């Protein structure tokens, strides 16, 4: 929790803290973040692949699953999930990291889900993959509809 204020330095644009029931009286937590990072337009697919490969090759991983995620947008997308061992923290953590391209061709996205609740790692992996499938790109300011033919008035037609 002490490091949440540092997320902006890592291009994080959204973070969410999840609290989940764990047993009868227990509670587990997770942290989800979304980062948007710049990429060279001509090398977007390569940048996404390199970022995913760098995440997969991290020495922090104790065990991991790595796979390509097929998105309806057909943008490149990679998932790395498993347990990590962080220096200074005794208990291993679960982490799932998804790297995909932004439709603008100038950025890529990194979705991250982390939790100490290792017993839910399969569920957390399914959750982040499901979140990934909900990503869509649209203009936040929709364009106005083109003007149609002028409206007619039955009263005006009768008076003419």
């Amino acid at each position: 929790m002490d490091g949440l204020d540092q997320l902006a330095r890592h291009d994080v644009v959204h973070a969410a803290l999840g609290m989940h029931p764990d047993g009868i009286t227990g509670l587990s937590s997770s942290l989800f973040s979304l980062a948007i990072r710049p990429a060279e337009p001509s090398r977007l697919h390569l940048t996404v692949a390199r970022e995913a490969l760098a995440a997969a090759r991290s020495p922090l991983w104790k065990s991991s699953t790595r796979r390509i995620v097929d998105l309806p947008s057909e943008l490149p997308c990679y998932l790395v999930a498993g347990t990590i061992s962080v220096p200074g923290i005794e208990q291993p953590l679960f982490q799932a990291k998804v790297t995909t391209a932004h439709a603008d061709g100038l950025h890529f996205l990194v979705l991250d889900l982390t939790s100490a609740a290792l017993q839910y790692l399969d569920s957390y992996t399914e959750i982040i993959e499901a979140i990934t499938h909900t990503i869509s790109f649209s203009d936040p300011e929709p364009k106005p509809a083109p003007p149609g033919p002028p409206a007619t008035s039955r009263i005006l037609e009768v008076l003419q």
Side-chain angles (χ1 to χ4, degrees):
M1 293 298 292
D2 293 337
L4 289 179
D5 59 337
Q6 299 175 20
L7 292 176
R9 262 194 301 173
H10 299 282
D11 302 314
V12 172
V13 296
H14 176 77
L17 184 61
M19 303 303 269
H20 319 282
D22 190 3
I24 296 172
T25 59
L27 193 65
S28 61
S29 62
S30 63
L31 176 66
F32 171 81
S33 67
L34 169 65
I36 301 177
R37 298 189 179 137
E40 290 181 49
S42 62
R43 300 178 153 228
L44 180 62
H45 285 48
L46 182 59
T47 301
V48 170
R50 282 184 178 162
E51 182 74 17
L53 188 57
R57 289 183 172 167
S58 169
L60 300 176
W61 292 106
K62 291 179 64 175
S63 66
S64 67
T65 300
R66 304 160 188 186
R67 67 175 175 261
I68 295 172
V69 178
D70 292 321
L71 296 178
S73 64
E74 297 183 0
L75 293 170
C77 185
Y78 305 95
L79 167 75
V80 180
T83 56
I84 59 173
S85 180
V86 180
I89 298 177
E90 290 181 32
Q91 179 181 354
L93 299 172
F94 164 79
Q95 186 174 56
K97 190 175 289 276
V98 171
T99 307
T100 189
H102 190 289
D104 70 2
L106 303 172
H107 299 87
F108 66 96
L109 309 176
V110 179
L111 292 78
D112 191 289
L113 182 62
T114 305
S115 178
L118 298 181
Q119 67 273 27
Y120 301 120
L121 64 92
D122 289 334
S123 296
Y124 282 137
T125 303
E126 290 174 15
I127 288 169
I128 198 163
E129 191 165 354
I131 290 170
T132 303
H133 282 277
T134 67
I135 294 172
S136 65
F137 302 95
S138 61
D139 189 346
E141 296 181 24
K143 308 284 186 268
T152 60
S153 166
R154 296 286 297 167
I155 295 173
L156 186 59
E157 289 174 6
V158 170
L159 292 175
Q160 289 181 352

